[in-house]
Amino acid sequence: MSAGKSYFFVGIGGSGMMPLAMILAGQGATVAGSDRSLDQDRLPAKFEQLRAMGITLFAQDGSGITSADQIVIASAAIEATVPDMIAAERVGATRMSRAQLLSNLFNTAPQAIGVAGTSGKSTVTGMIGWMLHALGRDPTVMNGAVMKNFAHADAPFASSLVGAGDIFVSEVDESDGSIALYQPAIAVLNNVSLDHKSLDELRALFADFIGRAGHAIVNIDNDDAAALAAALPPERVTTFSIERAADLQAIFIEEKPFGVDFMVTEADLIVEVSLQVPGRHNVANALAAIGAVRAAGVSLHEAAATLAGFTGLRRRFDLVGQVNDIAVIDDFGHNPDKIAATLTTLHAFPGRLLILFQPHGYGPLKVLRRELVASLVAQMAPDDLLVLPDPVYQGGTVTREVTSADIIADIAAAGRHARHIAVRDDAAAWLVDQARPGDRIIVMGARDDTLSQLAADLLLMLASRG
């Protein structure tokens, strides 16, 4: 589909755009792009990796779009007033959304595995991709996060894998409704919970998604997902669970600070699994991934053995380092369920939590205000500390009806230690001043790759403090 064509990505550095651009380049397409972060000289290593793959980069000033033969890809976040979009209109270039392009690649693959759900998509996608790769199935993998197994010095942003096999593995997004475009052979549904859309909308989208699949892998610990699974013919569903009887069930779970062991049962088989990523939520993620590769013809023993080699994703409970018995962890938690999973995992072991949460936009704060506050209040211990800087903002128009200060006021009113410090660097410095041996500092948030650099800077600040 892609060989010989010319694509231009507007916002090529985005977490959903970069891996797609890399897949197309790996398949022989001519790929170019622009990005605000490139113009602002942010994250140069990311753009060096793209250049090393033969991808040409331009300023986001319209100069890179010059021909009607180019296919211009833009995410929903790109406004019509961006010069590249004006240039695309002027030259008559074909326009596609990121979701349209990805779904075309996905739907033309001989065997497509789609991973859906409010939380855990990237981790499950990474697990599936690693297992299939390790077993020689040579998959193509589209992920929204960097997969540590495939990252190295020359490719630090390995959020995709280009394979020659029949299998295409991708997380699919419900937030913009584009999940409706995908036709999976195997569909994974991790969970259904409030995030970008109402629960009624989410139920309908996820029901249609697993209904179109040849086989569905569904988490029945989630009541909404379980109800959707029950509506399908039993022979087309593999259920998985930690709490309930299921086709794939985890038992004898033993949590560790940065890993977890368990047994998985399937019919009369019982197999041991040892993960290098922590938490009960990752046990559920592992069951989802095992179910997907089982549906693709991998044995339970092969799945368990290869899963032990999965080293995780960057910014998913990512231990940056430890100084003077203070750990710094970088995490993608940004919605109520993700935040709860991370904090629950951390509270399984002793130590105060010092949380820096950068909201990923003013819109999500407005939609999720009540749920975010409830999740943080429920998961914070009485001596934990929380600081919120202002939400990430990278240009464009935005309505600031609910702010970080509003969230902090709600949390403080519920009796938790919470503070609003508008400037992120000031918030980080305050946390460093508060830290003492035994603490865990967690940097949380989405849509901002510089959060990883902030986590690394926090470690240096702790070291320089002595």
Side-chain angles (χ1 to χ4, degrees), residues 425-438:
D425 287 348
D426 294 342
W430 180 78
L431 270 194
V432 168
D433 287 343
Q434 306 302 312
R436 60 186 186 228

Side-chain angles (χ1 to χ4, degrees), residues 47-353:
F47 299 106
E48 284 306 312
Q49 180 176 332
L50 290 171
R51 289 190 181 100
M53 296 184 68
I55 294 172
T56 305
L57 299 177
F58 293 85
Q60 201 169 84
D61 58 5
S63 61
I65 301 174
T66 58
S67 169
D69 293 332
Q70 289 173 289
I71 302 169
V72 176
I73 314 301
S75 71
I78 302 297
E79 298 170 316
T81 54
V82 170
D84 283 344
M85 305 312 295
I86 295 171
E89 181 76 18
R90 183 177 64 249
V91 303
T94 300
R95 293 271 307 278
M96 290 184 76
S97 70
R98 170 194 167 275
Q100 288 171 326
L101 177 57
L102 175 57
S103 63
N104 285 350
L105 292 171
F106 183 91
N107 293 339
T108 55
Q111 187 170 36
I113 301 176
V115 181
T118 311
S119 302
K121 293 188 290 291
S122 296
T123 298
V124 174
T125 300
M127 287 176 167
I128 295 168
W130 167 247
M131 286 189 282
L132 293 172
H133 172 81
L135 291 167
R137 299 287 289 272
D138 204 12
T140 294
V141 183
M142 163 72 197
N143 206 327
V146 174
M147 298 174 283
K148 291 184 182 180
N149 286 97
F150 305 115
H152 52 81
D154 294 330
F157 292 88
S159 52
S160 68
L161 185 67
V162 181
D166 289 343
I167 300 178
F168 192 112
V169 186
S170 180
E171 56 175 293
V172 298
D173 191 9
E174 79 287 347
S175 65
D176 59 359
S178 64
I179 189 174
L181 300 174
Y182 297 85
Q183 304 289 335
I186 300 166
V188 176
L189 179 56
N190 292 335
N191 39 56
V192 181
S193 60
L194 187 65
D195 195 349
H196 299 90
K197 293 183 176 293
S198 72
L199 279 175
D200 285 342
E201 290 177 289
L202 291 172
R203 291 184 191 107
L205 287 169
F206 290 136
D208 289 343
F209 176 68
I210 62 174
R212 292 192 299 274
H215 198 86
I217 318 297
V218 183
N219 178 10
I220 61 169
D221 283 335
N222 180 271
D223 290 339
D224 284 307
L228 299 181
L232 294 178
E235 66 274 10
R236 288 179 46 211
V237 182
T238 296
T239 59
F240 66 90
S241 172
I242 294 174
E243 307 294 344
R244 301 171 177 173
D247 298 318
L248 290 168
Q249 185 174 0
I251 58 175
F252 303 129
I253 298 171
E254 181 183 351
E255 294 193 62
K256 301 174 181 179
F258 294 98
V260 60
D261 296 340
F262 65 98
M263 307 292 286
V264 58
T265 67
E266 181 185 37
D268 57 351
L269 292 176
I270 301 179
V271 177
E272 184 177 355
V273 180
S274 183
L275 297 179
Q276 296 185 56
V277 290
R280 293 174 70 87
H281 63 292
N282 274 320
V283 175
N285 289 335
L287 292 176
I290 290 170
V293 299
R294 290 285 294 115
V298 174
S299 75
L300 186 62
H301 285 90
E302 287 176 321
T306 53
L307 193 51
F310 176 70
T311 52
L313 306 180
R314 197 164 296 157
R315 301 219 64 237
R316 301 314 192 267
F317 206 101
D318 194 359
L319 177 63
V320 180
Q322 300 184 70
V323 173
N324 299 328
D325 196 31
I326 302 169
V328 177
I329 295 162
D330 187 19
D331 191 74
F332 189 65
H334 62 280
N335 68 30
D337 283 356
K338 289 183 173 74
I339 290 169
T342 296
L343 300 187
T344 298
T345 299
L346 285 161
H347 274 310
F349 299 92
R352 189 173 63 148
L353 306 185

